Amino acid sequence: MRKLLLPGIVIVAGILIIARLFFLQIIDDTFKLKSENISIKIKYDYPERGYIYDRNGELMVANQPSYDIMVVPREIKKIDTVEFCTLLNITKEDFVKKIEKAVVYSPMLPSVFLGQLNKLEYAAFQEKERKFEGFYIQKRSLRDYQLNAGANVFGFITQANEAIVAKNPYYKSGDLLGKQGVEETYEVELRGTKGVKHIQRNRFNQEIGPYKEGKYDTIALQGKDITLTIDAELQKYGEALMKNKRGGIIAIEPSTGEILCLVTAPSYDPAILVGRQRSRNYTKLYNDSLAKPLYDRSLLAEYPPGSPFKILTALAGLQSQVIDTSSSFVCNRGFSYGRGRFMGCHCGGGVRKLHMGIAKSCNAYFGNTYLRTINKYTNTAEGVDAWSAHLKSFGMGQFMGYDLPTGRRGKIPTSETYKKMYPNGGWRATATVSNSIGQGEVLMTPIQLANMMAIVANEGYYYTPHIIKKIKGQNIDVKFRTKHVTTIDKKYFKPVIEGLAEVFKTGTAYFLKVDGMEICGKTGTADNFARVNGKQVMLKPHSVFVAFAPKKNPKIAIAVLVENGGYGSTVAGPITTLMLEKYINKKVLMKDREKRVLETSLQGEYNRFSKKYLDSMYRVKVRKDSILRVINAKKLDSIKKIKPTT
């Protein structure tokens, strides 16, 4: 039996190998297809990207035809390069560089020689294409923007770079893909699936028909249409109101977490990043290091929130039961919390309870509330961590999980923050009291401010803010339909909401009323510092306003932050009320207010800071140049003193 075992194994193995070879060579042609790829030309059929609609069904992003000239270096025959370059309006040097780049990618595979030709350029080249063997035209589609706003929402389309091609086998050289905004987040859904055709060629390199009668060919599948939560009219209006200003506007529907508008300023027309000028225009936007139009302030900018943070101070105090609606504090035009330590206030002074503390934005009321909240615990560190935990249940100090590819955490300090700041210990609640009014170590992004107001409107819960409303034939992520509940009991939101309504009746926004609309809101003026010449310089403060409306069954929660805008009621406040009127009433009747906002420009303020900054940079450069001149002079003197050797 043992003698038969080895021959038996050999015979069985031989049969398996022969069977496999038979399958690969006779039945399965895939390996044959790969081995014959020199005589088979692969053509791709690129589908249209999915269309993008707003929440009301308005088309915001469609497609337009585009034509790329592709090159296969190995197939290039002797061509008239002068005629070729003249036809495409490029130089001989450009021609050589592009061919060299194509060879590096692959001598045998097609890559983009010149992308995104317009119809006239395409027609001119198509007429003479037969004269330039090795080159052919690949039809694709580019974005066609129906809205000259929302660039930060949409993102843009660009060519896949070498790193992406190497990482993802779906993409080939010259393929287009989405970057930033929803184009990046929903790239797989929007791009569709490429179609592939295998064309048989004879020994003269002539196309003789589909390989294996098209057995391996596939058809292109168009990308899925998506509907965003954005209101196109509100987005456009918000960008108009923010002209000549810097900052952000975020509006959210409280009952769903749907983002109604996502405005960053300054912005740009998304259409300028389409076509052959895309690269040049992008470089111009990228190099604007002062205005930063590519920087989405609504998601990325972290600001001291200022007085709107007092809402959270009040809620934490109520939940900790260190205050109630009848608790009162005396304001002496500010809050004295230690020897020589004074936090000024503009509320007018007097006895303040919760209702009027919110309405008049009393620093003394919230400073006292904060200290009571922290000092309730046996030690300061424990108190700070308990306070911090309440705030983090609002989504503060962390990525919020929304469906856009960019964002920042903001900052909510913990005891660890202060242990690092005070390594020798000895810190007390008074050292952190500026947190109570949204200064100190607290930082928030505009979307976090808007979500905070959505939570207050909902009396204690929220849905993760998101920008996708519907994907054709597909459900949206379940996380956008999951309710998040804060650590603050529902009953404590009601008195705070009453105080926010009082802001528009007798408080800091009494002159910003909107007829027929009950608004709950809070003004804010956030201190603003910058480093100039190595010193911290105080600039004009940021203007902040948060609100929701109407008071009953809120439809919209909003946050507006305008850099260097001054008081919250002067710039951010009017913008907020105009946005609320536009969304809820579908029209704006406050024409005088609208006119003032549209005509308000803060460019002069930005230019003054830019000049200070640039002057300081110039002085640093001059100082460095002077030092270098001295060093070089000393080097020269030392060289002169060296005796020549033989």
Side-chain angles (χ1 to χ4, degrees):
M1 191 69 181
R2 255 181 221 177
K3 293 180 180 180
L4 297 174
L5 181 61
L6 184 58
I9 292 173
V10 172
I11 292 169
V12 171
I15 292 171
L16 290 174
I17 291 170
I18 292 169
R20 183 61 178 163
L21 288 172
F22 177 81
F23 175 77
L24 292 175
Q25 294 185 13
I26 307 301
I27 299 173
D28 184 5
D29 286 333
T30 55
F31 281 88
K32 186 179 180 183
L33 175 62
K34 291 177 182 177
S35 68
E36 294 181 356
N37 61 9
I38 294 175
S39 63
I40 297 170
K41 182 176 182 180
I42 295 177
K43 285 186 177 180
Y44 292 103
D45 185 11
Y46 289 87
E48 276 197 278
R49 286 181 78 85
Y51 284 28
I52 300 176
Y53 297 86
D54 89 330
R55 65 186 298 108
N56 301 310
E58 180 181 335
L59 180 62
M60 296 192 291
V61 184
N63 297 306
Q64 57 181 309
S66 170
Y67 309 92
D68 293 348
I69 295 180
M70 308 295 290
V71 62
V72 182
R74 183 172 176 171
E75 296 178 4
I76 297 176
K77 304 301 180 185
K78 192 172 183 180
I79 65 171
D80 187 337
T81 54
V82 174
E83 182 183 10
F84 184 90
C85 293
T86 303
L87 185 64
L88 295 175
N89 194 26
I90 61 173
T91 64
K92 181 71 177 292
E93 290 74 18
D94 286 337
F95 177 88
V96 172
K97 285 180 183 177
K98 290 177 185 295
I99 294 297
E100 288 174 348
K101 184 178 178 182
V103 170
V104 168
Y105 171 69
S106 173
M108 296 188 298
L109 295 177
S111 59
V112 175
F113 177 84
L114 193 63
Q116 302 181 9
L117 275 66
N118 60 37
K119 290 180 180 179
L120 292 176
E121 292 168 328
Y122 162 68
F125 184 81
Q126 187 186 41
E127 188 178 340
K128 298 186 177 183
E129 182 180 356
R130 56 184 173 76
K131 297 173 66 175
F132 308 116
E133 198 168 347
F135 295 88
Y136 68 94
I137 289 176
Q138 175 71 65
K139 185 178 179 181
R140 305 181 199 267
S141 65
L142 296 179
R143 284 314 205 182
D144 185 13
Y145 296 97
Q146 313 298 303
L147 191 72
N148 61 351
N152 61 313
V153 173
F154 304 135
F156 54 88
I157 305 298
T158 187
Q159 283 189 14
N161 58 35
E162 292 177 10
I164 292 171
V165 171
K167 185 178 179 181
N168 190 331
Y170 176 85
Y171 297 103
K172 307 298 179 187
S173 178
D175 282 5
L176 302 177
L177 77 164
K179 292 291 287 183
Q180 299 182 10
V182 295
E183 294 281 16
E184 180 174 334
T185 302
Y186 296 102
E187 161 68 8
V188 173
E189 290 82 3
L190 287 168
R191 77 187 181 194
T193 304
K194 287 182 291 191
V196 182
K197 291 181 180 178
H198 301 85
I199 310 298
Q200 183 77 47
R201 296 185 291 193
N202 61 20
R203 62 194 182 90
F204 300 107
N205 207 29
Q206 297 169 330
E207 296 182 7
I208 57 175
Y211 178 76
K212 289 287 184 181
E213 298 181 348
K215 179 180 177 181
Y216 300 104
D217 294 351
T218 59
I219 61 171
L221 299 176
Q222 184 172 348
K224 294 178 181 178
D225 295 343
I226 66 173
T227 299
L228 302 185
T229 60
I230 293 292
D231 184 304
E233 288 301 313
L234 191 67
Q235 178 76 24
K236 191 162 56 175
Y237 188 58
E239 292 194 20
L241 295 177
M242 288 295 287
K243 188 177 180 182
N244 294 318
K245 306 169 189 71
R246 294 178 188 170
I249 304 174
I250 300 280
I252 297 173
E253 184 177 67
S255 61
T256 61
E258 293 180 355
I259 297 172
L260 303 173
C261 77
L262 189 76
V263 174
T264 181
S267 189
Y268 58 92
D269 184 345
I272 69 172
L273 295 186
V274 176
R276 288 176 66 181
Q277 299 302 312
R278 190 203 73 80
S279 181
R280 183 180 300 174
N281 290 336
Y282 181 85
T283 301
K284 193 174 180 181
L285 294 170
Y286 181 83
N287 288 334
D288 188 348
S289 59
L290 296 175
K292 298 182 179 179
L294 291 173
Y295 182 71
D296 192 338
R297 287 168 164 85
S298 61
L299 302 176
L300 288 168
E302 298 168 305
Y303 302 97
S307 290
F309 195 81
K310 293 172 182 176
I311 297 169
L312 298 174
T313 301
L315 289 168
L318 290 166
Q319 182 67 36
S320 301
Q321 297 183 350
V322 297
I323 60 166
D324 57 31
T325 54
S326 62
S327 300
S328 62
F329 301 99
V330 177
C331 178
N332 295 310
R333 303 272 178 176
F335 175 47
S336 179
Y337 57 96
R339 193 187 321 178
R341 296 180 177 182
F342 187 76
M343 192 159 62
C345 185
H346 300 287
C347 78
V351 177
R352 297 294 182 209
K353 294 184 180 180
L354 177 63
H355 192 72
M356 293 309 294
I358 293 173
K360 298 291 186 181
S361 197
C362 177
N363 286 348
Y365 182 90
F366 294 100
N368 276 297
T369 298
Y370 176 83
L371 292 182
R372 283 192 180 185
T373 302
I374 304 302
N375 291 331
K376 175 185 176 180
Y377 294 85
T378 53
N379 62 71
T380 305
E382 187 182 349
V384 167
D385 287 338
W387 166 83
S388 179
H390 285 311
L391 304 185
K392 288 180 178 178
S393 75
F394 283 72
M396 311 300 176
Q398 56 195 287
F399 292 114
M400 299 182 67
Y402 48 73
D403 52 341
L404 287 161
T406 190
R408 292 279 174 83
R409 293 175 181 270
K411 184 179 180 183
I412 297 297
T414 64
S415 61
E416 291 301 315
T417 307
Y418 297 108
K419 287 174 184 176
K420 290 176 182 176
M421 291 175 64
Y422 303 96
N424 297 323
W427 61 279
R428 298 288 182 268
T430 50
T432 69
V433 72
S434 53
N435 289 332
S436 65
I437 60 171
Q439 298 291 162
E441 286 66 57
V442 174
L443 294 174
M444 291 173 67
T445 60
I447 194 171
Q448 289 174 332
L449 279 167
N451 192 54
M452 176 189 77
M453 290 310 286
I455 294 169
V456 177
N458 290 335
E459 299 182 11
Y461 71 89
Y462 70 98
Y463 294 95
T464 300
H466 55 282
I467 208 161
I468 192 71
K469 190 173 181 68
K470 184 171 63 177
I471 303 174
K472 190 175 181 180
Q474 186 176 321
N475 292 324
I476 67 169
D477 198 317
V478 68
K479 73 177 182 179
F480 301 132
R481 294 176 275 127
T482 302
K483 183 186 287 189
H484 305 278
V485 181
T486 69
T487 56
I488 309 297
D489 293 342
K490 180 177 180 178
K491 63 183 179 182
Y492 295 126
F493 285 89
K494 294 186 184 300
V496 170
I497 289 171
E498 292 302 323
L500 295 173
E502 191 67 32
V503 168
F504 280 86
K505 296 173 183 175
T506 62
T508 54
Y510 71 93
F511 58 90
L512 290 174
K513 298 174 185 176
V514 179
D515 291 341
M517 189 185 301
E518 192 170 14
I519 306 172
C520 299
K522 184 74 192 74
T523 54
T525 308
D527 289 344
N528 175 29
F529 296 91
R531 293 195 72 80
V532 178
N533 266 347
K535 295 180 180 178
Q536 196 173 44
V537 177
M538 188 170 186
L539 305 175
K540 190 175 180 180
H542 299 320
S543 178
V544 190
F545 205 101
V546 296
F548 65 83
K551 181 183 175 185
K552 293 182 180 179
N553 300 317
K555 299 291 188 295
I556 178 173
I558 189 169
V560 178
L561 191 146
V562 181
E563 294 181 6
N564 308 104
Y567 291 116
S569 58
T570 57
V571 181
I575 291 174
T576 302
T577 53
L578 287 168
M579 291 288 284
L580 293 176
E581 187 182 31
K582 177 74 172 177
Y583 183 71
I584 294 175
N585 295 341
K586 306 302 179 188
K587 58 183 177 180
V588 174
L589 298 177
M590 300 181 296
K591 294 299 181 184
D592 289 343
R593 187 177 299 180
E594 181 183 60
K595 185 172 182 291
R596 284 197 302 274
V597 170
L598 291 172
E599 291 176 352
T600 297
S601 173
L602 297 175
Q603 200 56 51
E605 186 68 30
Y606 304 139
N607 290 342
R608 276 194 292 276
F609 168 67
S610 299
K611 186 175 186 305
K612 276 185 183 179
Y613 176 77
L614 291 172
D615 284 350
S616 72
M617 291 298 99
Y618 174 73
R619 284 194 289 273
V620 170
K621 184 178 185 300
V622 169
R623 193 158 57 247
K624 284 181 178 177
D625 288 347
S626 299
I627 293 168
L628 286 172
R629 281 197 295 272
V630 170
I631 291 171
N632 289 333
K634 287 181 177 178
K635 282 182 178 178
L636 185 63
D637 288 343
S638 64
I639 290 169
K640 287 178 179 177
K641 291 175 183 176
I642 297 174
K643 293 180 179 179
T645 57
T646 57

